[in-house]
Amino acid sequence: MEKKTIDDIINKAGEYLKNPKNIQLIRDAYEVAKVKHEGQYRKSHDPYIQHPLEVAYMLAELRVAPTTIMAGLLHDVLEDTETSREELIEKFGIDVVNIVDGVTKIGQLKYMTKEKALARTHQKILLAMAKDIRVVLVKIVDRVHNMRTLQYQTPDKQIKIAKETMDLYAPLAHRLGMYRMKAELEDISFKYLEPLEYNRIRKLIKSQKAVREEDIGRMQNRIEEVLKNNNIKNYEITGRLKNIYSVCKKMRQKDLEFDQIYDLMALRILVLTIEDCYHVLGLIHGEWAPLPLRFKDYIATPKPNLYQSLHTTVVGLNGKIYEIQIRTYEMDEIAEYGIAAHWAYKEENKAYSPEKEQLEIAAKLRWYKELLTYAEIGESEDSDPLDNIRDDIFSANVYVFTPKGDVLDFPNGSTPLDFAYRIHTEVGNRTVGAIVNGKIVPLTYKLKTGDVVEIKTSNNFNGPSESWLKIVKTNHAKHKIISVLNKRRREFLISKGKEDFERVCKSENYPLLKLDDKMIASLFSKYGINNSEDLYVEIGKGTISAKGSAHRIYGKTEKFDEEALVKQYSEEPETPAAKKTANEWGIIVEGVDRAQIKLAACCYPVLGDDIVGYVSKSHGIVVHRYECHNIRNAEKERFIDVIWDSEFDKKPYESLIYILSFDRKNIVAEFINMLNSFNLTIKSISSAKNRDGDLLTKIKLTIPHVDVLNNAIINVHKISDVYSIERVIR
Ligand code: MN
């Protein structure tokens, strides 16, 4: 491959950058990079500057903004040379340096996993750390050049880098719709990872090339005739090659032999307008019979990475099968270069800003939204939906490592305590300290993506305290802490109540007997007391008097005084039943009687969840889960405190969970069996393969309490090949 020079880059960029200022900036960046890398060499013995030149050239091909090309030229300067951030900022501005910084930071991310399941998480980490899609672009292009020069690395490094590329960068390029980069990354990785298979398929493709090319040529001529006869203008027909790895993938996925893959013969027809696309499709189908179920209209419904095209497969000349793609020139550009083609830098756009550019991309890419699980809802109609993206983009989660290299993800603002409870409840309960990246940190430390977290535990420790509730962020940790606190509180109340009761018995000269639970239940069940422990708890709390209870138990009915017995109830004029205005879902609105309450349809609150009420304009109070992003930007005045009625009779609450897993036999059946073993009902279930070939299972279920749900989720997670489970917030 020809080695690129700065003039090649200037020429390429000059195709769309007409402002001489921009060209000069790129030259300046080159001059600085050249001086900084002076005396450094690549393993190929090329001067180091050749690498940033190749990277910058590919970026110019993608028609990115001048700042991104500059960042491409400078991308290794911070890491590999004695250059300070400050110096670069002064010379090229903060925007360029931020991109360089991001690229450097991602480079330091250790790819430690051996499991495919975690590769996805790493993709997310990479995105989270990048914080800027331009960083991801530079990084992908950087990787393309490093792969092109992989032969100069040692064999074990070749394997390591190829694996990382296959698991991480090729799927990222795919997600960004960069078909060419993806194909190149895959094929080179494949060559190093499975050299025998790579060569076998490459040879098979080559051996049939002549025959197939002849077939394609003949078919191409026939199609041209048809188009000419029907007055289609300005079309272009090309034969298409599948990359080696995608052929191999198809053979493996569908368990086919090479001869059985028929879409090796593919033709692409480019036309000017969308109308022409459908017109041409009609002509093709009129001439050759289409195979059933093979027609796909990606023009009407584009793929998440914005790919648009019509696909059909027909029985063509001599009964041979051809896959035919029909699309406009513009669609073709996007198909080849991905979203980069979509937001190709336009100089005349005066209002250009990097933030805006990012938001435009985010708004266009459906998968970004999926990543953010961002949804618009009626109630926040006043807030700018883009604000939500701005807040959420790449920062919805933090990803941290266990000392063993496993990755766990947490909501932003989580602390080492959340981490500890995720590892195990007992680890959480015994936590005395945390070490992050080798340094001792306070338990209030906010976890950051990339942190390696270690928890210090002790057996001689009192365990959770009230204050921990303010430190933790996840509901999981909160519930575990509350349950310990409740248990401890109950133990305390039992011993206090028992003491009070026995003191009274002594002073009243009653014998100290072991209380019989049945007898207690028969005497006190109307107060919700079913055994002696319950009785002690109520005495301990002071809701029932020790003296009154003793009289009642020892039969001094003449001394028994209902009002004295039930102190608290009689002190308050309202009966508990009247005081509580819990609605049908068991929600009490502080200070409001008979409020109209609805559970939000976006985040599915379940009894026991942290919740908040939102006074909507038209449907009364809508109760959301605390972490629901849809209310994040709502007006503060509209929030109202709501709590669950602790004595509420449990009702079935709806919840929606998504399970992402490897697509293997029987896995959905295992989900169903596991879920059925909990106290819940599956209302609907659907499963589909996503674009990465993973299985996404959506399950709607009803459960009586969030504890049940959390328990179920933890256990489904234990099923092998499950990558992640989320409670959906739409
Ligand atoms: Mn590099």
Side-chain angles (χ1 to χ4, degrees):
M1 211 168 289
E2 199 99 342
K3 284 172 189 166
K4 298 291 182 259
T5 65
I6 182 62
D7 291 329
D8 292 330
I9 295 171
I10 299 292
N11 284 339
K12 196 77 208 159
E15 289 173 13
Y16 65 101
L17 296 179
K18 301 300 175 198
N19 187 339
K21 246 197 202 158
N22 284 328
I23 299 293
Q24 190 54 48
L25 280 170
I26 293 173
R27 258 189 210 287
D28 293 347
Y30 165 71
E31 293 301 337
V32 169
K34 198 179 132 193
V35 171
K36 294 291 182 187
H37 287 299
E38 194 70 67
Q40 295 179 338
Y41 290 87
R42 298 275 289 177
K43 292 224 164 73
S44 60
H45 302 300
D46 277 332
Y48 197 94
I49 190 68
Q50 195 58 43
H51 169 64
L53 279 172
E54 302 290 339
V55 167
Y57 184 82
M58 283 188 262
L59 290 169
E61 278 186 313
L62 294 172
R63 302 193 159 227
V64 298
T67 43
T68 312
I69 299 180
M70 291 160 71
L73 285 164
L74 296 162
H75 81 268
D76 278 332
V77 157
L78 279 186
E79 168 127 65
D80 296 336
T81 74
E82 300 275 313
T83 309
S84 72
R85 246 179 79 90
E86 289 66 36
E87 182 189 343
L88 277 195
I89 293 173
E90 201 185 308
K91 284 194 170 111
F92 301 109
I94 186 77
D95 199 29
V96 173
V97 176
N98 278 339
I99 302 175
V100 175
D101 251 353
V103 174
T104 309
K105 214 166 124 200
I106 294 180
Q108 287 159 352
L109 174 68
K110 297 263 175 331
Y111 182 70
M112 342 187 175
T113 181
K114 283 173 200 72
E115 290 165 70
K116 185 181 175 287
L118 287 173
R120 241 193 118 73
T121 317
H122 273 83
Q123 289 174 33
K124 282 199 195 167
I125 298 171
L126 198 148
L127 287 170
M129 288 181 77
K131 290 201 174 67
D132 183 329
I133 196 149
R134 296 171 302 170
V135 172
V136 182
L137 270 191
V138 176
K139 196 65 205 170
I140 288 174
V141 171
D142 173 51
R143 181 50 61 106
V144 170
H145 184 246
N146 285 335
M147 291 306 283
R148 284 179 186 166
T149 51
L150 197 58
Q151 69 264 37
Y152 302 108
Q153 297 283 358
T154 58
D156 56 319
K157 267 207 155 172
Q158 285 171 346
I159 298 287
K160 195 178 157 277
I161 294 170
K163 189 162 164 30
E164 187 184 61
T165 303
M166 193 65 114
D167 288 351
L168 217 54
Y169 290 98
L172 275 178
H174 181 115
R175 290 182 108 187
L176 294 172
M178 301 159 80
Y179 176 77
R180 281 199 183 169
M181 308 271 173
K182 175 217 163 209
E184 188 172 356
L185 289 173
E186 277 182 351
D187 278 0
I188 304 177
S189 305
F190 187 39
K191 186 169 120 186
Y192 285 95
L193 291 173
E194 295 177 71
L196 295 179
E197 192 64 3
Y198 171 85
N199 278 317
R200 187 176 78 93
I201 295 173
R202 193 177 56 95
K203 276 183 198 147
L204 282 169
I205 292 175
K206 220 172 144 192
S207 73
Q208 302 203 358
K209 214 176 156 206
V211 185
R212 286 182 198 265
E213 265 174 2
E214 203 175 303
D215 282 336
I216 286 179
R218 244 181 282 148
M219 183 72 176
Q220 193 168 331
N221 290 340
R222 272 294 292 137
I223 294 177
E224 259 176 56
E225 255 171 62
V226 173
L227 297 191
K228 259 184 215 146
N229 292 342
N230 287 279
N231 248 340
I232 303 282
K233 298 236 161 52
N234 296 311
Y235 58 82
E236 199 181 301
I237 307 177
T238 50
R240 190 174 68 95
L241 263 179
K242 259 199 152 84
N243 70 311
I244 299 172
Y245 180 66
S246 70
V247 171
C248 162
K249 208 161 125 189
K250 190 152 197 177
M251 287 164 64
R252 284 178 186 169
Q253 265 172 7
K254 311 220 157 143
D255 204 13
L256 295 172
E257 283 306 311
F258 183 74
D259 300 336
Q260 294 168 291
I261 299 181
Y262 48 70
D263 54 5
L264 282 171
M265 283 206 286
L267 283 159
R268 182 175 298 154
I269 306 171
L270 303 181
V271 289
L272 281 177
T273 65
I274 291 179
E275 291 81 65
D276 281 351
C277 291
Y278 289 102
H279 188 184
V280 169
L281 178 76
L283 295 173
I284 301 274
H285 283 179
E287 200 74 19
W288 297 283
L291 291 185
L293 302 176
R294 297 277 303 178
F295 169 65
K296 291 195 184 86
D297 186 349
Y298 294 121
I299 291 182
T301 38
K303 291 191 187 183
N305 61 15
L306 301 180
Y307 176 87
Q308 284 189 298
S309 189
L310 298 176
H311 288 191
T312 187
T313 306
V314 299
V315 185
L317 291 176
N318 305 327
K320 294 195 169 159
I321 291 166
Y322 296 84
E323 189 192 66
I324 297 176
Q325 302 179 340
I326 307 164
R327 57 196 184 221
T328 66
Y329 290 95
E330 203 187 333
M331 292 171 188
D332 191 54
E333 191 149 300
I334 292 164
E336 295 291 309
Y337 290 111
I339 51 150
H342 238 305
W343 41 286
Y345 177 72
K346 289 180 200 72
E347 268 178 335
E348 63 272 28
N349 185 354
K350 287 204 183 72
Y352 171 83
S353 80
E355 292 81 21
K356 200 162 152 263
E357 183 182 89
Q358 284 227 40
L359 291 175
E360 275 169 12
I361 304 161
K364 279 178 182 158
L365 273 177
R366 259 191 291 154
W367 67 262
Y368 258 53
K369 291 192 190 173
E370 280 163 27
L371 185 81
L372 312 170
T373 57
Y374 157 79
E376 245 177 297
I377 54 155
E379 285 140 38
S380 59
E381 69 231 346
D382 306 331
S383 68
D384 178 2
L386 289 184
D387 280 345
N388 289 334
I389 296 182
R390 195 172 299 139
D391 289 347
D392 279 4
I393 204 162
F394 299 131
S395 65
N397 287 297
V398 293
Y399 301 89
V400 302
F401 296 96
T402 68
K404 280 187 199 150
D406 290 334
V407 177
L408 299 174
D409 71 318
F410 291 91
N412 242 352
S414 295
T415 62
L417 276 179
D418 291 295
F419 179 94
Y421 276 100
R422 181 78 66 79
I423 300 289
H424 197 280
T425 306
E426 277 316 298
V427 174
N429 286 340
R430 287 203 289 261
T431 296
V432 287
I435 296 173
V436 171
N437 305 327
K439 286 193 195 109
I440 294 175
V441 297
L443 291 180
T444 51
Y445 172 86
K446 300 266 184 288
L447 297 176
K448 288 197 291 293
T449 290
D451 281 348
V452 180
V453 186
E454 206 179 318
I455 295 297
K456 290 283 149 213
T457 58
S458 162
N459 287 333
N460 324 311
F461 172 58
N462 294 335
S465 65
E466 292 279 340
S467 66
W468 281 20
L469 288 172
K470 292 200 182 81
I471 296 174
V472 297
K473 174 90 182 175
T474 56
N475 275 335
H476 174 74
K478 243 174 233 171
H479 286 295
K480 296 295 176 195
I481 294 168
I482 286 171
S483 96
V484 172
L485 294 178
N486 281 347
K487 194 168 158 246
R488 200 187 289 156
R489 178 150 185 263
R490 187 173 162 87
E491 280 160 9
F492 168 77
L493 290 173
I494 289 172
S495 74
K496 179 172 179 286
K498 191 163 185 238
E499 230 169 70
D500 288 355
F501 180 79
E502 288 175 353
R503 190 170 348 102
V504 166
C505 287
K506 246 183 222 163
S507 69
E508 298 285 316
N509 284 323
Y510 291 134
L512 281 179
L513 299 175
K514 188 169 185 326
L515 298 180
D516 175 61
D517 284 348
K518 259 193 210 135
M519 180 263 286
I520 297 292
S522 72
L523 288 173
F524 296 95
S525 64
K526 77 187 251 206
Y527 307 108
I529 292 168
N530 295 313
N531 53 49
S532 53
E533 279 196 354
D534 286 352
L535 178 66
Y536 292 142
V537 167
E538 295 307 319
I539 293 172
K541 274 200 254 177
T543 45
I544 285 184
S545 85
K547 203 181 237 177
S549 311
H551 288 329
R552 180 156 211 183
I553 289 163
Y554 291 100
K556 297 245 171 124
T557 41
E558 70 277 10
K559 282 191 181 176
F560 179 67
D561 174 351
E562 185 104 6
E563 270 182 43
L565 176 68
V566 190
K567 274 201 303 202
Q568 183 179 320
Y569 294 170
S570 54
E571 275 159 18
E572 289 178 29
E574 283 174 316
T575 67
K579 187 191 160 210
K580 286 178 181 143
T581 53
N583 81 331
E584 54 173 321
W585 295 109
I587 291 168
I588 301 168
V589 183
E590 224 95 73
V592 182
D593 265 15
R594 277 175 215 88
Q596 192 198 345
I597 302 174
K598 257 183 56 176
L599 297 183
C602 49
C603 51
Y604 297 98
V606 170
L607 181 62
D609 271 327
D610 286 344
I611 47 172
V612 61
Y614 177 82
V615 183
S616 73
K617 283 175 187 149
S618 44
H619 0 258
I621 296 167
V622 182
V623 172
H624 289 262
R625 273 158 65 192
Y626 196 75
E627 58 259 56
C628 181
H629 54 82
N630 292 310
I631 50 167
R632 200 169 301 161
N633 294 313
E635 301 158 46
K636 296 279 165 289
E637 309 80 66
R638 288 178 170 271
F639 287 122
I640 187 164
D641 281 343
V642 291
I643 51 171
W644 297 105
D645 179 357
S646 59
E647 273 141 59
F648 187 64
D649 214 7
K650 292 166 186 184
K651 272 192 93 154
Y653 294 80
E654 245 186 31
S655 182
L656 182 62
I657 59 174
Y658 284 5
I659 306 173
L660 189 70
S661 67
F662 180 63
D663 183 16
R664 71 161 161 83
K665 221 175 160 189
N666 289 333
I667 194 159
V668 176
E670 285 176 37
F671 295 158
I672 295 171
N673 286 340
M674 180 62 83
L675 289 171
N676 276 341
S677 66
F678 291 89
N679 183 14
L680 47 77
T681 313
I682 296 174
K683 291 189 72 184
S684 71
I685 184 163
S686 72
S687 239
K689 244 187 190 187
N690 70 9
R691 289 182 49 78
D692 297 333
D694 299 326
L695 192 70
L696 181 66
T697 306
K698 304 178 176 183
I699 304 177
K700 191 170 255 184
L701 35 82
T702 61
I703 48 266
H705 195 276
V706 70
D707 287 346
V708 178
L709 182 61
N710 287 337
N711 208 0
I713 286 176
I714 288 167
N715 281 283
V716 172
H717 229 307
K718 288 178 186 157
I719 296 175
S720 63
D721 295 319
V722 170
Y723 303 160
S724 68
I725 305 174
E726 72 172 311
R727 269 185 80 185
V728 175
I729 301 180
R730 283 207 257 246

